[in-house]
Amino acid sequence: MPYQTFDSAAAIAFAQSRGFLPQHAEVSCTEIGDGNLNLVFHLRAEGRGLIVKQALPYVRCVGESWPLTLDRARIEAETLLAHAKVAEPFVVKVLDFDPELYAMVQEDLSHLVLLRRRLIEGERVDGLSADLADYLAQSLYAYSDFALAGKEKKALVSQFSNPELCQITEDLFFTDPFREHERNDIFPATRPLAEELWQDVMLLDAVAELKARFLSCPQALLHGDVHSGSVFSGPGELKVIDAEFGFFGPMGFDVGSVIGNLLLAWCRHKCLGNQDYADWLEEECINFWQHFEDRFKTLLAGTEDLALASEGYQSRFINQVQKDALGYAGCELIRRTLGLAHVADIASLEGGQRTEAEKRALALGRSLILASQGTCDIGLVRRLLHPSPVRFAA
Ligand code: ADP
Ligand code: MG
């Protein structure tokens, strides 16, 4: 069937034609997409829910003036399926995909809550850091040179070539927020800080390094957008959705997105005076880092590639992933403050509190990016979150 944009009736007909709904059942359908890009329909029939997600030929939050490839729906479905093969409990189930309508059927996760909402509300999420670390360690390892044969990996790199979505990240993450750009969205009180940041030559130098690695380092099949609005959570359950930015890139990008989003929530709660919750977020960051390192090390030890089995190399490799992660976490803090796409953790704060949270996000982001250029460990995050007063020699 040729591509056409779904309305509710078409979404129902699609699910019916693929055998997901009883033929004569009463079906209700609501479009629930709060994301920036696609249509998401929530269908209900005979007490059971189902999701139909379809790509639009343009960026939803901007409109038809910003065309965008429909192929992102294929990338999303194939990335989620690939990750589900190796990290099944943590990935939304893709039940079907139509390559002509660029539409997929997914399991309904409405019984869960988006992680961003939980973090904004100050809820402690049991098992959060361990689940995210396991998801990333398992999916990144399985689609890396440590686990794949050379030919197989190169075929996958080409299958997951995703130039248009990567271009969005290249621009919105690494380029626009570090200079004056019409796509930026800067809170007036924050502008002087932004202008100061743009003059920081060492910072721009480090961002260039991080962008260059994003552009030319196909280490593993990334999710590409694991911010806290792409994670559903509930008691004993964590499910990642929305993988249309999937491509082969540097592992530290996904690891850093998780850390960056925990720290964005930290900036919020620190400004609201919720010290206990800010401390919990800090512990989650540290646990996530440690758990990822442990799990990833164990997986690396199982590589069948005799050359890549070198322990010294593996330890340098993990260290580089962690350095990258700190840098990308820093970029996430800055781009969510100055760039096109803000997050509710900070943007929902009022006046002075928002200014204060943005100031923290920019300072923390800058320190993380600069730190990514040196030797680093997660102790650094603790030191950045608790800067000790400057001491002068007697
Ligand atoms: P976009 O690609 O446009 O960002 P998302 O995949 O983030 O779209 O989905 C937008 C919203 O739709 C999510 O924030 C969530 O509220 C809802 N949603 C998406 N997938 C599911 C699902 N499988 N189950 C329940 N709700 C979902
Ligand atoms: Mg989304």
Side-chain angles (χ1 to χ4, degrees), residues 128-147:
L128 176 64
S129 49
D131 286 351
L132 285 169
D134 281 342
Y135 162 64
L136 286 184
Q138 287 165 219
S139 54
L140 297 176
Y141 171 79
Y143 295 96
S144 74
D145 292 301
F146 294 100

Side-chain angles (χ1 to χ4, degrees), residues 115-123 228 260-275 277-279 281 333 337 343-350 352-362 364 385:
L115 178 60
R116 189 173 312 284
R117 218 174 96 200
R118 288 202 191 280
L119 297 183
I120 285 176
E121 281 166 15
E123 278 181 49
S228 44
N261 277 271
L262 291 173
L263 293 178
L264 283 161
W266 183 88
C267 291
R268 170 189 181 81
H269 289 286
K270 194 75 187 162
C271 290
L272 289 175
N274 301 332
Q275 188 58 46
Y277 192 69
D279 289 345
L281 287 165
L333 287 167
T337 307
V343 287
D345 311 51
I346 289 182
S348 65
L349 295 171
E350 303 283 333
Q353 276 177 334
R354 175 163 174 183
T355 313
E356 182 55 32
E358 295 202 342
K359 189 171 161 189
R360 278 184 189 276
L362 292 183
L364 193 51
L385 299 186

Side-chain angles (χ1 to χ4, degrees), residues 218-277:
Q219 284 176 341
L221 176 59
L222 308 188
H223 175 285
D225 198 22
V226 283
H227 62 86
S228 44
S230 296
V231 178
F232 265 114
S233 117
E237 260 190 294
L238 178 140
K239 301 276 182 192
V240 169
I241 61 166
D242 201 10
E244 68 202 313
F245 285 82
F247 83 113
F248 275 76
M251 298 182 182
F253 186 78
D254 274 359
V255 180
S257 297
V258 167
I259 296 173
N261 277 271
L262 291 173
L263 293 178
L264 283 161
W266 183 88
C267 291
R268 170 189 181 81
H269 289 286
K270 194 75 187 162
C271 290
L272 289 175
N274 301 332
Q275 188 58 46
D276 283 356
Y277 192 69

